[in-house]
Amino acid sequence: MVKRPSRRVFLQTVPLAAAAALPLTDKALFAEAPAQIAAPVPFQLFSAEKIAESTAKLHTTPGNDNLFQPASLPFTIVLTTEDKKAAKEFEWHEGRDHIVQILDGETLYDVGGTPQNGRNTKPSEWLAPTSEGATKLHLKKGDMLVIPRGTPHKRTTETSVTFYLISTTGNTPA
């Protein structure tokens, strides 16, 4: 019978093993930070009350609230509510990734596959009527979906959904 080391022995040796792996040179392990780092934009807090207020307005008049869209950072955050809406075609982007977080309601996403009869609509943006082999996903409150750039996707909302859409902007390198 093979005797396993106890958990306590393992936890005692991990810091030593990690330290042994550090290079013993005169070079600094981490780059030194500049004395002053200028923030590209000031930090922003979106309080629960602000989000609730925006969500209430969007439930009255469905649409988008661009919560965060700085010119100097490569991403945006949009709060969206939609009722009974379906995309006609699949879309995909060469330089944008999406993170979708469902806050309320539900929606269907068709994701992936191979676009059929795709066409370039503007720089780095594409549409296609179908995507062969796409996966159907039913997203509900609390679900999160990450859609990497170049991935065909299409949303269909049969009732109502409220979600955050966080997107990289421009042609951010992969």
Side-chain angles (χ1 to χ4, degrees):
M1 184 166 109
V2 176
K3 185 175 180 183
R4 292 185 193 167
S6 73
R7 183 174 180 197
R8 194 169 104 203
V9 170
F10 173 77
L11 293 175
Q12 290 171 341
T13 60
V14 168
L16 179 60
L22 293 175
L24 299 175
T25 67
D26 291 336
K27 293 183 180 179
L29 293 176
F30 304 101
E32 290 185 32
Q36 288 184 322
I37 299 175
V41 295
F43 74 87
Q44 292 185 25
L45 169 66
F46 298 96
S47 66
E49 293 81 9
K50 160 95 169 88
I51 299 299
E53 181 182 305
S54 292
T55 302
K57 285 180 186 176
L58 289 173
H59 281 175
T60 303
T61 307
N64 299 320
D65 182 356
N66 295 321
L67 296 175
F68 190 70
Q69 200 168 11
S72 62
L73 292 176
F75 71 95
T76 62
I77 303 171
V78 179
L79 178 63
T80 297
T81 294
E82 63 185 26
D83 295 327
K84 298 178 184 173
K85 185 176 179 182
K88 294 178 182 175
E89 297 186 284
F90 282 82
E91 65 178 44
W92 69 98
H93 323 281
E94 292 175 12
R96 287 194 294 150
D97 308 294
H98 293 320
I99 301 170
V100 179
Q101 171 76 54
I102 307 298
L103 301 175
D104 195 28
E106 58 189 343
T107 191
L108 303 170
Y109 263 90
D110 291 305
V111 182
T114 304
Q116 305 297 306
N117 301 315
R119 65 193 184 288
N120 186 239
T121 58
K122 55 186 174 181
S124 302
E125 302 289 326
W126 297 80
L127 291 175
T130 60
S131 187
E132 188 175 309
T135 300
K136 293 189 178 297
L137 302 172
H138 176 235
L139 302 181
K140 59 192 178 321
K141 183 177 181 174
D143 289 343
M144 179 183 286
L145 173 63
V146 177
I147 306 172
R149 67 195 68 203
T151 304
H153 54 284
K154 178 172 85 166
R155 183 175 62 251
T156 303
T157 302
E158 294 175 353
T159 54
S160 178
V161 67
T162 299
F163 59 91
Y164 288 123
L165 175 62
I166 301 170
S167 295
T168 56
T169 55
N171 283 325
T172 309

